Amino acid sequence: MKAPDLLRLSDNVVLARFETLKVYAALGAVRTLLERGTVQPGQTLVDSSSGIYALALAMACHRYGLNCHIVASTTVDAAMRAQLEILGATVDQMPPSQDLRLDQERRVRRVRQLLAERPGLHWMRQYHDAVHYTGYREFADLVDRALPDAPLTVVGAVGTGSSTGGLVDPLRERGRAVRLLGVQPFGSVTFGSEGFSDPEAIIAGIGSSIQFDNVRHDLYDTLHWLDFRHAMAGAVGLLREHAVFAGLSTGAAHLVAGWEAARHPERVHVVIGADTGHRYTERVFARHEEALDPSVLKPHQITGLADLAPPWSVMAWERRRYDVRRSAAGPAQAPAPLAAPTAASTATSIDVSAAVSTGVSTDVSAAISTAATIKEDRAS
């Protein structure tokens, strides 16, 4: 379950298809915390999650003899909750909501309440604790062996920052020529799109309404912002063209990779496919007839955040630093609906010069013992 299948979608696009990407993060983090003595056998670990980290943490706790408590997003479905409970986790789930910002804020408040009530809990802080980078060195080893010579471009949802950063940082340390393309939804504070609102964007794990310290902005070369309809087009297109059933964050990354690969045929584009599409069956795949044609979609190319506009924008980030706190401290602004023709004018130009101070733990686990084989993907 931990190691992905590497599927070649085209001459210069390879999909790293996971069942649960964050198994790397959770296993690496829990193992490291036990080795450091930060947590003890039998202790209860708690965190907030929109789904795949919850399952990964429950698996890690099951493996290492720890208790697990999950404060779950409204996006966690019955199948996921059943798996968590069977693995021994206890679950607090937020009430139904179409607003991921409200859902996320509720989860953080609930975690803080639990910590105040039960001081023996250890908060995993997947959004902020750099220990979650450690496990992804195994993923970097796998990619390095499977694609040893080509210049690489990694394409993935930013989310907490750990998966994209945790893959790219070790590869760059080895001297690999790796570019990193981050994918964001409109409405996320992480890369300055909080001035927009996408009512349909229940895309779990791709953006955030709060600051994530684990996002190292200066690792990213390019940023793409996509709305729900474009992520849906990518996910449905991936299934239709390659028989790969994956979630919305993977769909968004797949759409981005197709556009980028056509512009940069000399580079191999590695798409991070974080999870399967099961929790999006009704909201996305059952509506496949509504999906846009990916082949005709292209982004609005911008040079600054003041020009950011739905439904799809791309910007050369050039590994700059960015202060989310400074942005949040600016004048209050009502989110602009994605359908509004004047949406671009409501975006805020943001200074990206302030430093991000979070470092990355270099304590790593052993490399994967066998090299990955890239599978030729051909839908029939």
Side-chain angles (χ1 to χ4, degrees):
M1 175 177 283
K2 183 168 71 171
D5 291 324
L6 297 182
L7 307 176
R8 189 174 290 279
L9 304 185
S10 68
D11 289 343
N12 66 335
V13 178
V14 173
L15 173 66
R17 182 183 184 275
F18 288 89
E19 184 170 341
T20 307
L21 165 69
K22 291 189 177 181
V23 169
Y24 278 112
L27 283 174
V30 170
R31 181 171 57 243
T32 302
L33 291 171
L34 285 167
E35 290 170 354
R36 293 174 179 172
T38 305
V39 300
Q40 304 297 323
Q43 193 169 354
T44 298
L45 309 186
V46 62
D47 214 343
S48 160
S49 174
S50 59
I52 60 174
Y53 180 78
L55 183 59
L57 183 60
M59 291 176 177
C61 289
H62 185 272
R63 176 172 179 174
Y64 288 108
L66 298 160
N67 299 312
C68 179
H69 186 86
I70 298 297
V71 178
S73 167
T74 186
T75 62
V76 171
D77 61 16
M80 176 69 73
R81 180 160 184 156
Q83 291 178 79
L84 293 172
E85 292 174 346
I86 290 169
L87 286 167
T90 51
V91 181
D92 274 342
Q93 186 160 13
M94 296 300 98
S97 173
Q98 291 299 311
D99 185 344
L100 278 189
R101 182 173 304 182
L102 176 60
D103 176 77
Q104 194 169 50
E105 290 169 355
R106 283 173 171 167
R107 284 186 277 139
V108 172
R109 284 199 301 269
R110 178 56 179 156
V111 169
R112 293 189 183 280
Q113 180 184 2
L114 288 168
L115 293 170
E117 294 172 352
R118 300 163 60 185
L121 296 178
H122 178 81
W123 185 10
M124 288 298 293
R125 302 174 74 245
Q126 65 150 326
Y127 306 146
H128 308 298
D129 192 340
V131 73
H132 289 89
Y133 274 71
T134 60
Y136 287 110
R137 287 186 173 264
E138 294 186 31
F139 183 23
D141 291 339
L142 185 153
V143 170
D144 196 29
R145 289 195 300 272
L147 301 165
D149 302 315
L152 300 177
T153 295
V154 171
V155 186
V158 175
T160 66
S162 300
S163 59
T164 49
L167 169 60
V168 166
D169 209 31
L171 291 172
R172 287 177 179 166
E173 288 174 1
R174 301 171 194 185
R176 296 295 301 269
V178 182
R179 291 177 54 78
L180 177 56
L181 277 56
V183 180
Q184 282 275 278
F186 287 95
S188 172
V189 304
T190 309
F191 281 91
S193 69
E194 65 271 19
F196 296 90
S197 174
D198 186 352
E200 289 191 283
I202 304 295
I203 309 176
I206 182 172
S208 177
S209 65
I210 61 175
Q211 177 180 349
F212 287 169
D213 291 335
N214 267 345
V215 176
R216 295 175 55 198
H217 297 80
D218 55 358
L219 291 177
Y220 296 84
D221 296 284
T222 300
L223 260 294
H224 285 256
W225 296 262
L226 285 81
D227 71 355
F228 169 84
R229 303 289 293 184
H230 281 63
M232 176 179 174
V236 172
L238 182 60
L239 180 55
R240 182 172 286 137
E241 296 164 22
H242 302 286
V244 176
F245 185 50
L248 274 181
S249 66
T250 305
H254 172 241
L255 183 64
V256 166
W259 184 80
E260 291 278 355
R263 292 165 58 84
H264 302 283
E266 77 284 0
R267 304 188 67 85
V268 173
H269 294 70
V270 180
V271 179
I272 298 178
D275 63 350
T276 67
H278 293 89
R279 59 177 168 166
Y280 296 108
T281 299
E282 293 184 8
R283 187 174 286 118
V284 174
F285 295 100
R287 298 166 55 190
H288 61 89
E289 292 183 354
E290 303 173 31
L292 303 172
D293 179 359
S295 67
V296 302
L297 303 178
K298 62 181 181 180
H300 171 52
Q301 299 180 57
I302 63 174
T303 58
L305 291 175
D307 301 319
L308 190 63
W312 181 5
S313 289
V314 58
M315 175 179 164
W317 191 260
E318 299 175 336
R319 306 189 190 183
R320 287 176 285 184
R321 295 181 176 181
Y322 180 70
D323 191 343
V324 175
R325 290 186 181 92
R326 183 173 178 179
S327 170
Q333 208 169 345
L338 288 186
T342 58
S345 65
T346 66
T348 304
S349 178
I350 300 171
D351 185 354
V352 295
S353 61
V356 177
S357 60
T358 305
V360 180
S361 170
T362 56
D363 189 7
V364 301
S365 56
I368 295 175
S369 59
T370 58
T373 300
I374 299 180
K375 301 178 182 178
E376 295 293 334
D377 178 69
R378 295 288 184 267
S380 58

